[in-house]
Amino acid sequence: MRWSAEMDFMKIRSYIINQIASHGGVPVKFPSSRKLAQKFGTSQPTALRTIRDLIADGYLVPCRNGGTISCPQSSSGRQEYSLFGTVTVLGKQAFINNYFMRYESVVGLDLLNRDETYSIVPLKLESPSLLEQTVKDNNLKGLILYDAAPIILKQAEELHAKGLPVVSVIRRSEHLSSAYTQDDVFFRDVIVRLRSEGRRTILLTVHTNPVRSALLHKAVADACRECGIRESDLTLVSESEPPETFAALLKRTTFDAVIFYPFSRRLYDMLADSTDLKEQCRIVIQSESNHKELNFCGLVITNHLETAISQLNDNLLRQCRDPGTPVEQIKIPYSFAEFENGQKISTETEEKRKEQK
């Protein structure tokens, strides 16, 4: 219930800020909290909380005859509202998991900490071909992509070629400024580390999405080739495999290392039932998967986003001022951390590890 109320809160807030931004400084009148609740199918207390929050943030002022109206633009040096749209993967997500939520929060907070007034609205696309029209309908200043599928990247690259500011997060594009995760480097580092610990039977979970899965297979192949390891020494399995497949796999093979990319709680629990995850099997997960109730033992990979995202946002805002801004490729740095019984006991950065080699 709490999560549903927060989603409704953000839906109404995004709608109001979108309307303010799309009217270019012309005052916009909004109905009462009761009518907003009816419009969005939510409770009146949630709609009222949204309005009060926007009033406190300086977006709205109450009207004497009910409802609210947007505040006039300040002339104190703050620029007009700039509205950016976000697209995650294909733009059809019904919900956002911890992984994407972390990335989006870092991007949004970095923009909010700047002097100008920026707002972000998530875009829901029935089809990738509607991206350009959706940008026009929402009067967007630019686009921020999160792990965008190739078909969305292609559409966004075409919009960028027409002068729209666009950046890509997680996924690298040669034609767009990108802050990207280093999957191939990560797999090389973690496989070398596991082999140096004497781990020989390694299981890797991969995404169900065929595009994401293909990219991970390539990253693993590159890592194995660079390390002189046979790909056949690794077992790759889709996160969506039925429980019977996992059970048969675990009966057939005793794994001494498992890399979750992404995390599968179902497989993790099955492993925990059959294997000593503290002594016999080394587990590697991403920080977004390290839930408190896991009481986790193993390696946690953390992508350090703040500096890379700040550089990417700098580029996005330069594009808004100058469409000829050069494309930048920004690597997102990461570190490994050792956990025991849910507590971090050490941290080893990628840079330090490279220095030791």
Side-chain angles (χ1 to χ4, degrees), residues 203 205 239 243 246-247 250 258 260 262-278 281 283 285 289 291-297:
L203 175 67
T205 66
E239 60 175 327
F246 283 140
L250 295 178
V258 178
F260 284 104
F263 184 68
S264 168
R265 183 60 185 264
R266 178 177 55 182
L267 177 54
Y268 181 88
D269 289 341
M270 293 175 69
L271 277 167
D273 289 340
S274 61
T275 308
D276 183 346
L277 299 186
K278 184 175 180 180
C281 186
I283 304 296
I285 63 175
S289 305
H291 308 301
K292 291 182 178 179
E293 64 270 19
L294 282 181
N295 202 29
F296 182 71
C297 293

Side-chain angles (χ1 to χ4, degrees), residues 91-336:
K92 297 183 179 182
Q93 284 62 33
F95 63 91
I96 302 297
N97 63 22
N98 290 355
Y99 182 75
F100 291 118
M101 186 174 291
R102 178 167 177 252
Y103 278 81
E104 293 190 13
S105 65
V106 173
V107 172
L109 285 172
D110 180 79
L111 284 175
L112 288 172
N113 283 333
R114 296 170 185 256
D115 288 337
E116 295 84 357
T117 304
Y118 301 111
S119 297
I120 294 175
V121 56
L123 302 183
K124 297 293 184 286
L125 304 174
E126 294 182 11
S127 167
S129 63
L130 297 176
L131 181 60
E132 183 171 6
Q133 188 60 49
T134 303
V135 168
K136 292 179 180 177
D137 291 345
N138 287 273
N139 194 28
L140 298 179
K141 189 83 169 180
L143 279 177
I144 304 169
L145 311 178
Y146 296 97
D147 202 18
I151 190 169
I152 291 291
L153 276 177
K154 182 179 178 181
Q155 296 283 334
E157 288 167 353
E158 292 174 359
L159 289 175
H160 178 66
K162 296 178 182 178
L164 181 73
V166 184
V167 295
S168 175
V169 184
I170 303 173
R171 184 75 60 84
R172 181 178 182 179
S173 165
E174 295 293 339
H175 305 290
L176 301 174
S177 290
S178 311
Y180 62 96
T181 54
Q182 305 174 70
D183 287 346
D184 54 343
V185 180
F186 158 69
F187 282 120
R188 182 197 67 199
D189 283 357
V190 74
I191 290 172
V192 167
R193 176 165 182 152
L194 292 174
R195 299 285 286 203
S196 69
E197 294 177 357
R199 314 280 176 178
R200 291 293 179 269
T201 312
I202 302 173
L203 175 67
L204 170 64
T205 66
V206 295
H207 287 264
T208 303
N209 179 283
V211 173
R212 187 69 171 137
S213 177
L215 290 171
L216 291 178
H217 275 75
K218 182 180 184 305
V220 171
D222 291 344
C224 288
R225 183 167 54 254
E226 186 169 341
C227 299
I229 297 172
R230 295 179 303 175
E231 287 185 63
S232 58
D233 289 343
L234 305 179
T235 301
L236 277 64
V237 62
S238 170
E239 60 175 327
S240 63
E241 291 287 349
E244 305 80 49
T245 302
F246 283 140
L249 181 63
L250 295 178
K251 284 183 179 179
R252 209 166 48 241
T253 308
T254 300
F255 294 100
D256 55 19
V258 178
I259 306 170
F260 284 104
Y261 210 85
F263 184 68
S264 168
R265 183 60 185 264
R266 178 177 55 182
L267 177 54
Y268 181 88
D269 289 341
M270 293 175 69
L271 277 167
D273 289 340
S274 61
T275 308
D276 183 346
L277 299 186
K278 184 175 180 180
E279 301 293 340
Q280 297 177 353
C281 186
R282 168 71 87 183
I283 304 296
V284 183
I285 63 175
Q286 294 172 294
S287 59
E288 293 82 8
S289 305
N290 190 16
H291 308 301
K292 291 182 178 179
E293 64 270 19
L294 282 181
N295 202 29
F296 182 71
C297 293
L299 290 176
V300 174
I301 176 77
T302 299
N303 286 312
H304 299 285
L305 308 177
E306 284 73 13
T307 300
I309 293 301
S310 182
Q311 290 178 311
L312 189 68
N313 279 342
D314 286 344
N315 182 276
L316 175 65
L317 299 180
R318 285 198 299 271
Q319 290 183 50
C320 293
R321 297 186 293 269
D322 177 11
T325 298
V327 167
E328 289 185 63
Q329 301 298 339
I330 305 165
K331 297 178 181 179
I332 298 175
Y334 64 86
S335 66
F336 291 114

Side-chain angles (χ1 to χ4, degrees), residues 30-76:
F30 295 98
S32 66
S33 59
R34 179 178 59 82
K35 291 183 178 179
L36 279 172
Q38 291 174 347
K39 176 181 178 66
F40 289 94
T42 186
S43 68
Q44 186 173 353
T46 296
L48 182 59
R49 180 165 70 91
T50 309
I51 290 172
R52 287 175 174 171
D53 187 81
L54 289 165
I55 290 173
D57 286 348
Y59 286 97
L60 301 176
V61 292
C63 295
R64 290 184 179 179
N65 58 348
T68 56
I69 192 168
S70 60
C71 294
Q73 293 293 309
S74 169
S75 59
S76 61

